[in-house]
Amino acid sequence: MSSPAGSEKDLLISNHLHKRYGDESGGVRLCSIVEENQDNRGQHKLSTFFGVIVPCCLSMFSVILFLRMGFIVGQAGMLESLAMVVLAYAIIGLTVLSVCAISTNGAIEGGGAYFMISRALGPEFGGAIGLMFFLANAASSALYIFGIVEALTSFFGENGIYEIGPSGIPSSYGWNYLYGTVILLLCLVVCVVGADIYAKTTFMIFLVVMVSIASVVVSFFAKKPFPVGGEGNLSLPNVSFCNNVSVIQYAGLNGKTVHENLYENYTIDYTNDIKQTFVTVFAVLFNGCTGIMAGANMSGDLKNPSKSIPLGTISACAITFFIYILLIVLITATTPRVLLQCDYSFLVSVNLWGPFVAIGVFASSLSAALSCLIGASRILFALARDDLFGIVLRPINRTTHSGNPLAAVLATWFLVQLMLLANKVSTIAPIVTVFFLFSYAATDLACLALEWASSPNFRPTFKYFTWHTCLLGFLSCITMNFLVNAVYTSVSIAVLIILLVAIHYRVPQSSWGYISQALIFHQVRKYLLMLDVRKEHIKFWRPQIVLMVKNPRTCCQLIDFINSIKKSGLYVLGHVRLGSLAEMPTDILSVHYQHWLNLVDELGVKAFVELTLARSVREGTEQLLRISGLGGMKPNTLVLGFNDNQARQDTFKLVGAFAPRKRTGSKLSAVLHSEKAEDENNVFSECDFFPPPNPDFDVDANGEISVDEYVSIISDALKLQKNVCLARYFDKLNKSVVMSDKSKVHYIDVWPVNFLKPLLSNDSFIQRSASDEQKPSSYFDTTCVFLMQLACILNMTPFWKKRTKLRIFLCVDRSHSNIVTPGDQELEEFLRTVRISAEIKQVELNDITESLSNENNLTIQVPSKPEEGQQGSNGDNLHATQTPVPQVEDKPLYLSRINNLIKSQLSSTAVTFLYLPAPPPRERYEEYLDMLTKLSDDLGPTLFVHGLYHVISTTL
């Protein structure tokens, strides 16, 4: 249970960690991180305007501004259109607040929304949303290119507004794909050159778009009423939807037109023959507002992302919101509804110079496609850099000398090129919107979780948010998802769950921190305060166990076995290191703790780890029993390995623990196993950390603890009102044999008989007196019931339930006619009352008792029939049937025969539960342990149990 207070290995590991991470305060490591970030930040040159405002504005304008604003006003009217804009910006505004809060809470690196989500919610959620966000940006880039191609064919194709040649530019699947390929290639060239040329290109496009918008606004005031359509004018594209009217009078600024366009008038959309509703029109408008992450995606190329992202994103939202409102009001006041419903490109006719609108459409769509392409490449590079998808994305984790992720750009370009094969906007438009909304919802969720966790390190400089805005933003995005397309949303949720599970098992640990841990801590603290020990009830009793482990390398099967009987209770692996902190330069247990946690993960048990320093194992065990747990979750049972001279086996080899294989460990483990470590002598595996047992006898530098100390630990535990279990031969427990051998039934054997009672003095047990003859007797005492409860719990776990049965042995003695022993029916009635399903097997003690002397009054406890409704009482005060017992000189023979009796029933036994009496006076400790040893010799996996509490309830 203990090991030396210090060793060269401890010092070596400490030196290695000190060398790797710096001093204990983490100052050296923190300084290196800050310097590294400053060096990297020196390569980033984009300002708030060029890196955030321009990309966001261009992404939010796109084709909606020029080709769908008339559609929105014509269908919904001015009032509902304004309400739609306010609602859309309220939804994205809530997300913007969350983005601002997260981005001002620490250093933001490349990856934008993915970086913020993954660092807040952990690798599983971050990786899943990051992949969806990457696909959304890639698909959005293809979508904008489709928009450019459709605008080309609409403006310059056959029957186009600006028809070129006799039949315009050719339009077919092949030609459209070629146009899209050329446009995408142009975007690729800009992205390959780098962020600088991207900023300059988008700024030039931004100027063009703003000039186009300005020309539209000026035209509404400058253009006088005139007829649209007819000879000499641009013809209406869909005369059939205008009641066959080929000429419509443009009204200009007119109060009557305002009144006509004030309310909704939903009709059929001539582009798809679908009757429009508020939801469908709102979905079109909302799709034009989903560019708020365009600036955040450039976080790795910004000079100061923590300042630029919130300032630039809010500014871009304000600019676009104002322009949308202005255009809705001007369109309402100048353009007849029939024109709005029959010609979505009416701005070409209204504009002072029509080509300005075409230029604006091409410029805004090109910039949006470019922004999404470069944003997607940055997200993909961040995913590859974090190694969440292993070898699949590892080749993409490459950059040019200037830091441009060229491999990610090329991979994104190739994916968009494949998406162009769809050749339909309607095919991928809903997917783009759904994926974007999921990323927005995840951002709101990340901020909400950080706020709810109440972590002292979450203190963003942006203060204009609360958990209410985060929650409302999250719910709004999810609601919008289902409004846009319920089917795609449901499928996306299923894909998201699959990705979460896959990444969880692919990347079990990260150094980013887990918001789940902070939330769990916050909630657990609250509920622990509510867990009142004064309200405990027998109905809800469960084992809460401290297993004292000296060297886990010799007891893996026992650790796993105790995990099976904890029944969702507290399970603590306790370990005592001999020594005093006052005599040590540092706390050596701080390094050991990580290895013990890795051991728990490797064995797959649900246990906590508690390590302590003490001058003796007895003192350390008392410390752990007193201080382990918290509030109402305190241990009630102590489990010890058996103190004997048996050779210890290396159970790591038996269970395959830490076997060489590809596995992902903690950051500390990665450091200790790194091939790049400066000194290979400092590299330890977990298997090396726990020393192998000596082939002859497991003796460490301090030797085994003495019998006196060992039994004293049992006695101390009983004084502290803890149940006690002693485990022996569990290194022989082979679950694979139980699993594979299906030819016979395996049993969990319970012997609810105190075989040692006649061998222990009256100092330890109160014997039955003559005055007790007429008192009713209990069927089983507390320890017997506790034995059955633990065995029943074991049999309830999935592995043991499928492969074993519970068997209780009923010991009877028919050698004396005046002794009445209970039969199967009485025991079955008792088991039925306590709801334990078990096979009862009678075993006669005649031969054992008849061959022994009967000169004293000591007794073997043979259960007698219980009084109706009565459960066990304290084991040491139980009334029991009198049976002749051996004298002191007959002990070896008696114990040998009891041992042989138990062994005769072991042919199909997996585990044996035996009664553990309380220790006798201190002068008989060695004798006590010797009797336990002889009683359990060669029985296979055996658990001695002593219980102090009633643990079975017969009530609801």
Side-chain angles (χ1 to χ4, degrees), residues 12-268:
L12 200 54
I13 294 175
S14 298
N15 290 338
H16 180 84
L17 295 175
H18 181 82
K19 189 175 183 180
R20 179 76 179 179
Y21 291 108
D23 59 24
E24 296 176 21
S25 65
V28 174
R29 178 63 176 165
L30 181 60
C31 290
S32 66
I33 292 174
V34 172
E35 291 173 0
E36 181 180 352
N37 288 338
Q38 289 175 346
D39 292 340
N40 293 337
R41 192 62 64 208
Q43 302 174 0
H44 306 155
K45 301 179 180 180
L46 296 185
S47 64
T48 301
F49 181 77
F50 290 102
V52 182
I53 295 178
V54 171
C56 284
C57 287
L58 293 177
S59 297
M60 296 175 75
F61 284 147
S62 66
V63 296
I64 299 296
L65 184 69
F66 296 100
L67 298 182
R68 286 295 182 270
M69 289 306 297
F71 158 78
I72 294 170
V73 177
Q75 296 289 339
M78 185 184 76
L79 295 180
E80 286 196 7
S81 296
L82 293 176
M84 288 180 183
V85 172
V86 172
L87 178 60
Y89 273 82
I91 294 175
I92 64 172
L94 294 170
T95 301
V96 168
L97 296 180
S98 300
V99 172
C100 295
I102 297 177
S103 62
T104 59
N105 189 53
I108 301 295
E109 299 178 13
Y114 158 70
F115 182 85
M116 292 185 285
I117 294 169
S118 62
R119 269 48 177 184
L121 298 182
E124 297 91 348
F125 213 98
I129 293 295
L131 182 60
M132 296 179 69
F133 194 40
F134 160 71
L135 294 175
N137 276 274
S140 187
S141 181
L143 180 65
Y144 290 127
I145 292 175
F146 288 152
I148 298 175
V149 172
E150 288 188 6
L152 278 173
T153 57
S154 175
F155 287 140
F156 305 109
E158 186 177 2
N159 299 322
I161 299 175
Y162 305 109
E163 185 175 325
I164 299 177
S167 60
I169 62 174
S171 177
S172 65
Y173 177 83
W175 279 104
N176 291 348
Y177 186 74
L178 178 61
Y179 300 149
T181 300
V182 174
I183 297 169
L184 179 60
L185 186 61
L186 177 62
C187 296
L188 174 65
V189 172
V190 175
C191 293
V192 167
V193 174
D196 289 341
I197 189 66
Y198 163 78
K200 294 176 182 178
T201 304
T202 53
F203 177 65
M204 293 173 57
I205 295 174
F206 180 74
L207 291 179
V208 172
V209 171
M210 295 307 293
V211 170
S212 299
I213 295 174
S215 70
V216 170
V217 173
V218 171
S219 298
F220 283 125
F221 290 97
K223 202 81 170 182
K224 301 301 181 181
F226 69 96
V228 179
E231 297 181 2
N233 294 290
L234 299 175
S235 60
L236 293 172
N238 293 277
V239 176
S240 60
F241 280 86
C242 303
N243 299 320
N244 294 318
V245 176
S246 60
V247 179
I248 299 176
Q249 184 74 19
Y250 171 73
L253 292 173
N254 188 297
K256 183 179 179 181
T257 305
V258 173
H259 185 268
E260 291 177 352
N261 292 333
L262 202 58
Y263 302 101
E264 80 282 353
N265 182 19
Y266 294 108
T267 61
I268 294 176

Side-chain angles (χ1 to χ4, degrees), residues 847-865:
D847 296 338
I848 297 175
T849 56
E850 286 180 353
S851 62
L852 299 177
S853 170
N854 59 355
E855 296 182 4
N856 56 34
N857 291 325
L858 301 177
T859 64
I860 292 179
Q861 177 188 324
V862 178
S864 56
K865 184 176 179 179

Side-chain angles (χ1 to χ4, degrees), residues 4 51 72 78 99 110 134 136 223 270 333 355 383 401 550 597 620 643 726 765 783 882 940:
I72 294 170
M78 185 184 76
V99 172
F134 160 71
K223 202 81 170 182
Y270 69 79
L383 286 168
H401 180 70
K550 175 185 175 182
L597 292 180
N643 192 336
L726 307 182
F765 295 95
T783 294
Q882 300 272 350

Side-chain angles (χ1 to χ4, degrees), residues 176-440:
N176 291 348
Y177 186 74
L178 178 61
Y179 300 149
T181 300
V182 174
I183 297 169
L184 179 60
L185 186 61
L186 177 62
C187 296
L188 174 65
V189 172
V190 175
C191 293
V192 167
V193 174
D196 289 341
I197 189 66
Y198 163 78
K200 294 176 182 178
T201 304
T202 53
F203 177 65
M204 293 173 57
I205 295 174
F206 180 74
L207 291 179
V208 172
V209 171
M210 295 307 293
V211 170
S212 299
I213 295 174
S215 70
V216 170
V217 173
V218 171
S219 298
F220 283 125
F221 290 97
K223 202 81 170 182
K224 301 301 181 181
F226 69 96
V228 179
E231 297 181 2
N233 294 290
L234 299 175
S235 60
L236 293 172
N238 293 277
V239 176
S240 60
F241 280 86
C242 303
N243 299 320
N244 294 318
V245 176
S246 60
V247 179
I248 299 176
Q249 184 74 19
Y250 171 73
L253 292 173
N254 188 297
K256 183 179 179 181
T257 305
V258 173
H259 185 268
E260 291 177 352
N261 292 333
L262 202 58
Y263 302 101
E264 80 282 353
N265 182 19
Y266 294 108
T267 61
I268 294 176
D269 180 0
Y270 69 79
T271 63
N272 53 25
D273 295 336
I274 297 176
K275 179 67 180 296
Q276 299 302 297
T277 63
F278 180 91
V279 173
T280 57
V281 175
F282 180 67
V284 172
L285 173 64
F286 191 83
N287 191 54
C289 305
T290 56
I292 59 174
M293 291 294 189
N297 289 343
M298 300 299 298
S299 58
D301 299 292
L302 297 173
K303 287 182 181 179
N304 188 351
S306 295
K307 177 182 178 182
S308 298
I309 291 175
L311 178 60
T313 306
I314 292 176
S315 300
C317 289
I319 293 171
T320 56
F321 177 78
F322 172 76
I323 292 176
Y324 276 133
I325 293 294
L326 178 62
L327 287 180
I328 289 174
V329 173
L330 291 177
I331 290 173
T332 301
T334 60
T335 311
R337 170 157 282 174
V338 64
L339 180 59
L340 297 177
Q341 294 179 342
C342 295
D343 184 10
Y344 298 157
S345 58
F346 78 98
L347 288 178
V348 176
S349 305
V350 174
N351 204 279
L352 291 173
W353 188 57
F356 263 136
V357 175
I359 293 172
V361 171
F362 293 135
S364 61
S365 298
L366 179 63
S367 67
L370 181 60
S371 175
C372 289
L373 182 64
I374 196 170
S377 67
R378 268 44 179 181
I379 298 169
L380 183 61
F381 174 69
L383 286 168
R385 181 188 58 200
D386 290 336
D387 196 28
L388 298 185
F389 296 92
I391 195 173
V392 177
L393 297 182
R394 201 163 291 155
I396 300 174
N397 190 16
R398 299 176 184 274
T399 63
T400 62
H401 180 70
S402 61
N404 186 29
L406 181 60
V409 170
L410 293 175
T412 306
W413 164 79
F414 180 73
L415 179 62
V416 176
Q417 187 70 52
L418 293 178
M419 291 180 176
L420 291 179
L421 294 172
N423 200 34
K424 286 186 178 180
V425 174
S426 58
T427 303
I428 61 175
I431 300 176
V432 171
T433 304
V434 167
F435 279 14
F436 270 127
L437 284 170
F438 266 120
S439 64
Y440 299 164

